[in-house]
Amino acid sequence: MAALKSTVTILLASFYCTSCAFSFAPSSVTITSNNNLYRSHIEATVLSAKSDDDDDDDEVILSDSEDDWRTFRAKLVMGESSTSPSSSTPTTTTDSSSSNDNIIIDDSDLDGIGALFSSEETTVQQFTPLDPSQWAYDSGKVIEQGAVILGGVEQDFGFGLRQQYFHKAVILVLDHDENTFTKGIILNRPSDRMMEDDVNEGLEWRVWFGGDVQGLDSILPDIVCLHSLKGEEAKEASNPVMKDIQWTSFENAKKLVKKGIASGPEDFWLFAGYAGWGPKQLSGELERLSWYMCATDSQTLLKELARQSSGVDPRDAGLETWELLMNMIGRGETANDCSGNFDDLMLKEWGRGHLLKGYGGEVGVARNPLWGGGGGGGFLEEMDGSSVDDKMKEAAGMALTEDLKAGTLLRGSSADRSPFLLRKQELHHSLLLVIVEDDKATVACMLNHPATKGYDIVGYSKGAASLPLRYGGDFALKGQSPLIWLHCSQKLRDSGVGSSLSGQNEGIYKCEQEQALEAISYGIATPSDFLVISGVCVWPKLGGSLANEVKRGVFEVVPNEKQPLVIETLQTQTILTKDNLAENIKITQDAWDKAADPNSSCKSTGTDVVLTTGIGEGFDEDDDTVVFNSDKKVSELADDALQKWIATFLLGAPTLT
């Protein structure tokens, strides 16, 4: 057999590998490992063999200059990972006509979609056990364009309470500079919301949630259109990310459809918003296990995008895509251990509130920026439109006859689907006292959250005593004492201790610290007569006042005659510890129940605080009282979220629950 020698240069622009020494011979490739990372240019000498007896060529099929260099790198990395670390013998792959290690690229697909489901085999052996045409591996801390960031699940504080959309996210890096900025888009948050096409009449584009920066609800969302079109004009209008994956602007995408270069919106994936990291920020988060870095081939990503485009319910929030890649990079056990946990359920509820058409509003229309701001937990996004349940609708119809007044006691909504499920969980089933009401803002403080610190009472006749300091909110009143002392004792009213918040000689009184301590030292009062609050919540009058939220049913007014019983119940709470966490929450629930207006149609759910145990069986997808594809009651999940918030932010023990 005569051999025809040819030389092919493979340029690895940013080549990282766990191997560091390569020697190429005409008939073999030898990889010597020393577990270092490096950048390199590689020249590979390959043989095309031709039989003396046959005019047909038995060729080693090579990729052209557009081949994905990551495939070559992956073979080296994954080939090494299959070699025992204790072995000092170099791994040798022999290049012969019978070898299956060749990468066959099909360039016949013009629109970039059809080839994804081609019956022709694309051979990359031993990359993953899932599909011989796909590969992925854990790339450590290597961040680069085209890399995939997977949401981590091993950090102490996850994304269950805040930014649920990052939980188990699959993020494609579009741009990376360690010293300036990293930009990526979330690939596994498809919505059923649509954007109209002002260039091609009658067309609509399905929108995916790409991230929280200039996202779905921004006035001017940042739009990225991913595609795999192979025509030259499409490439000229686009920015390459990796082999077969490019991105372009929405305007360019519409023009490509108009010119017939693309067949329609189905040739694109339109992402609104992106995720961004500042200089070295992502590297720091990798150290804290907030993320895992993954290198994978373009076909794996394109197949997952195509699968999610066809009939996947947005309420599942792309969990299957994350699990697939976690299994492919060898983290399947980690993925299985947290399947169906609290964070999963919260992510599904986020998907319900933001990805379903009719729940999240129109793309590109900003909600009132003051709602939910100011530390007061204003009327929340997930309460818009049809997401308000029946009890909320009933409460919304009961308009206040006048503005709220100082001294008004409120309790958090009794709706089965709490308005405080996804954010401001501390306001779920809270008890809130209005202390300042003017034409600029309403100031109130929460009464039901004892913290881990106490206020030591000196000079009490019965010995040492310590009152629990209660978290009242994120703000402080300028020019006033940082601590707010409250009581609801008729004896102290008669003794002139404090002044009425409402201006009447009844209800809850506010007093100065010196007055309270003096009353205790003279035996007029006991320490347990007082609630000591640190911090307040603020609702600006512009846009989303607290009175409006009462009208909407986000909060309910507690009858004046109920106030003494509520305060008396809260006074039995103690300084927060790991041991009494559940008991303090139970007392809050008891006080919240006692605060109900007997004449209101809103009733307590009566649920206890129960930890999430996972996805159930026999669930009803149409039952809106449970989390999608689970047997977890939404009302119970809200209770879990409150307990998780207290454990995390007041107790400093996020892994306790």
Side-chain angles (χ1 to χ4, degrees):
M1 177 180 292
L4 175 64
K5 182 175 180 180
S6 65
T7 302
V8 179
T9 299
I10 304 172
L11 177 62
L12 304 186
S14 180
F15 180 44
Y16 292 85
C17 182
T18 53
S19 304
C20 79
F22 301 81
S23 60
F24 293 88
S27 61
S28 66
V29 179
T30 302
I31 305 173
T32 304
S33 170
N34 72 350
N35 296 319
N36 289 325
L37 299 178
Y38 79 108
R39 300 173 184 264
S40 178
H41 297 282
I42 299 177
E43 283 194 0
T45 302
V46 188
L47 291 182
S48 294
K50 184 177 181 180
S51 172
D52 292 333
D53 304 323
D54 195 343
D55 291 335
D56 295 332
D57 292 339
D58 289 330
E59 294 184 345
V60 176
I61 303 177
L62 299 174
S63 58
D64 58 21
S65 60
E66 295 181 354
D67 191 7
D68 186 359
W69 57 267
R70 289 177 178 80
T71 303
F72 183 76
R73 180 177 69 179
K75 289 194 70 175
L76 300 177
V77 173
M78 300 182 75
E80 179 183 324
S81 66
S82 64
T83 304
S84 171
S86 61
S87 174
S88 59
T89 305
T91 302
T92 301
T93 304
T94 301
D95 186 8
S96 69
S97 59
S98 61
S99 174
N100 289 325
D101 289 339
N102 307 313
I103 303 163
I104 303 174
I105 306 299
D106 178 15
D107 288 326
S108 62
D109 179 39
L110 297 181
D111 65 6
I113 304 297
L116 303 183
F117 308 100
S118 171
S119 60
E120 296 183 25
E121 290 189 0
T122 302
T123 306
V124 181
Q125 265 197 339
Q126 297 180 346
F127 279 9
T128 74
L130 302 176
D131 187 326
S133 69
Q134 298 174 246
W135 57 261
Y137 63 89
D138 189 325
S139 57
K141 296 180 176 61
V142 178
I143 309 169
E144 60 193 357
Q145 179 179 298
V148 172
I149 305 169
L150 301 178
V153 291
E154 297 178 85
Q155 69 273 39
D156 288 341
F157 180 60
F159 293 111
L161 297 180
R162 300 286 189 274
Q163 299 178 302
Q164 290 86 1
Y165 42 82
F166 280 136
H167 174 63
K168 295 186 177 179
V170 176
I171 304 173
L172 177 64
V173 177
L174 299 183
D175 189 23
H176 171 67
D177 187 324
E178 182 70 12
N179 297 314
T180 56
F181 186 65
T182 300
K183 179 179 181 179
I185 52 173
I186 302 176
L187 299 181
N188 59 330
R189 302 288 184 257
S191 81
D192 62 5
R193 297 163 67 175
M194 309 295 288
M195 286 190 72
E196 293 184 358
D197 190 329
D198 58 354
V199 174
N200 304 283
E201 186 176 355
L203 293 184
E204 288 187 320
W205 298 64
R206 185 181 185 183
V207 181
W208 297 49
F209 177 84
D212 55 352
V213 183
Q214 291 182 254
L216 289 175
D217 305 308
S218 298
I219 296 176
L220 294 174
D222 184 271
I223 304 294
V224 167
C225 294
L226 282 190
H227 67 88
S228 59
L229 298 172
K230 294 184 178 180
E232 286 303 317
E233 190 167 350
K235 290 182 179 180
E236 290 175 2
S238 306
N239 299 280
V241 180
M242 58 195 299
K243 175 180 164 43
D244 287 340
I245 296 182
Q246 308 158 73
W247 71 267
T248 189
S249 67
F250 187 30
E251 293 304 315
N252 283 341
K254 290 183 287 187
K255 291 176 183 177
L256 291 173
V257 173
K258 186 73 171 179
K259 293 178 180 180
I261 296 170
S263 58
E266 63 272 15
D267 280 348
F268 299 89
W269 292 277
L270 186 152
F271 295 86
Y274 64 90
W277 291 265
K280 304 185 185 302
Q281 180 184 353
L282 181 54
S283 297
E285 292 178 4
L286 287 172
E287 294 287 347
R288 297 190 294 273
L289 298 179
S290 297
W291 312 98
Y292 311 119
M293 293 305 303
C294 165
T296 187
D297 65 299
S298 57
Q299 299 305 300
T300 293
L301 298 181
L302 290 170
K303 285 181 179 180
E304 277 303 295
L305 287 169
R307 182 188 65 82
Q308 292 180 93
S309 297
S310 57
V312 172
D313 196 303
R315 290 173 294 179
D316 259 333
L319 290 171
E320 286 188 22
T321 299
W322 180 86
E323 291 168 357
L324 168 71
L325 288 169
M326 286 288 285
N327 276 286
M328 291 179 72
I329 66 173
R331 293 183 179 269
E333 185 175 345
T334 300
N336 290 334
D337 288 345
C338 63
S339 179
N341 65 2
F342 169 79
D343 289 1
D344 277 9
L345 297 173
M346 292 292 281
L347 172 62
K348 287 186 175 186
E349 280 297 295
W350 176 88
R352 175 190 180 276
H354 293 80
L355 301 180
L356 289 185
K357 186 176 182 180
Y359 280 50
E362 298 300 322
V363 179
V365 179
R367 297 189 177 92
N368 190 319
L370 293 178
W371 288 355
F379 187 62
L380 304 180
E381 296 175 2
E382 55 270 19
M383 300 274 298
D384 285 353
S386 57
S387 64
V388 185
D389 69 12
D390 292 340
K391 288 183 180 179
M392 297 295 291
K393 290 176 181 177
E394 290 178 10
M398 298 183 292
L400 295 178
T401 56
E402 54 186 7
D403 287 339
L404 293 174
K405 294 180 178 180
T408 301
L409 185 63
L410 304 173
R411 72 173 197 157
S413 171
S414 58
D416 285 337
R417 187 173 294 280
S418 173
F420 306 110
L421 174 61
L422 297 180
R423 54 194 298 262
K424 294 291 179 184
Q425 290 88 2
E426 66 271 26
L427 290 171
H428 171 65
H429 285 190
S430 62
L431 291 155
L432 202 70
L433 179 66
V434 177
I435 56 176
V436 175
E437 172 70 21
D438 60 25
D439 58 350
K440 294 181 179 179
T442 301
V443 179
C445 59
M446 289 178 283
L447 306 181
N448 56 293
H449 288 311
T452 56
K453 295 182 179 180
Y455 185 92
D456 295 330
I457 305 296
V458 179
Y460 181 45
S461 60
K462 294 185 179 181
S466 186
L467 282 175
L469 290 177
R470 297 169 183 265
Y471 170 79
D474 292 335
F475 294 85
L477 292 175
K478 185 176 181 180
Q480 297 192 24
S481 170
L483 299 181
I484 301 171
W485 290 70
L486 304 171
H487 74 79
C488 196
S489 165
Q490 186 60 51
K491 179 181 179 182
L492 294 180
R493 293 192 202 104
D494 295 340
S495 300
V497 178
S499 59
S500 172
L501 286 168
S502 65
Q504 302 176 0
N505 295 325
E506 60 180 8
I508 300 172
Y509 271 49
K510 178 177 178 292
C511 62
E512 299 297 326
Q513 179 173 297
E514 292 75 12
Q515 287 181 299
L517 295 178
E518 185 177 0
I520 293 172
S521 65
Y522 288 150
I524 301 174
T526 65
S528 61
D529 285 329
F530 298 94
L531 298 181
V532 185
I533 317 295
S534 176
V536 296
C537 304
V538 180
W539 281 262
K541 286 295 181 67
L542 179 62
S545 69
L546 182 55
N548 285 340
E549 297 195 354
V550 173
K551 293 177 182 178
R552 295 175 183 270
V554 179
F555 294 99
E556 301 161 9
V557 176
V558 177
N560 289 338
E561 63 270 18
K562 295 279 189 176
Q563 289 189 4
L565 183 59
V566 170
I567 298 300
E568 180 183 340
T569 303
L570 291 176
Q571 286 168 342
T572 63
Q573 290 179 310
T574 54
I575 296 171
L576 182 64
T577 66
K578 293 180 180 180
D579 294 332
N580 68 12
L581 170 62
E583 179 62 24
N584 273 344
I585 293 176
K586 184 177 180 181
I587 293 172
T588 288
Q589 182 65 38
D590 186 23
W592 183 85
D593 285 335
K594 291 175 179 177
D597 185 347
N599 298 317
S600 171
S601 60
C602 299
K603 303 296 182 182
S604 167
T605 59
T607 57
D608 294 326
V609 177
V610 182
L611 291 178
T612 303
T613 56
I615 300 298
E617 298 179 359
F619 43 75
D620 182 358
E621 294 185 3
D622 296 325
D623 186 354
D624 197 48
T625 66
V626 298
V627 180
F628 181 71
N629 273 4
S630 81
D631 58 6
K632 185 69 175 182
K633 288 286 188 181
V634 177
S635 58
E636 295 178 1
L637 182 61
D639 292 341
D640 293 346
L642 172 61
Q643 180 165 339
K644 187 80 170 178
W645 184 91
I646 295 172
T648 300
F649 295 107
L650 295 185
L651 197 54
T655 60
L656 181 63
T657 58

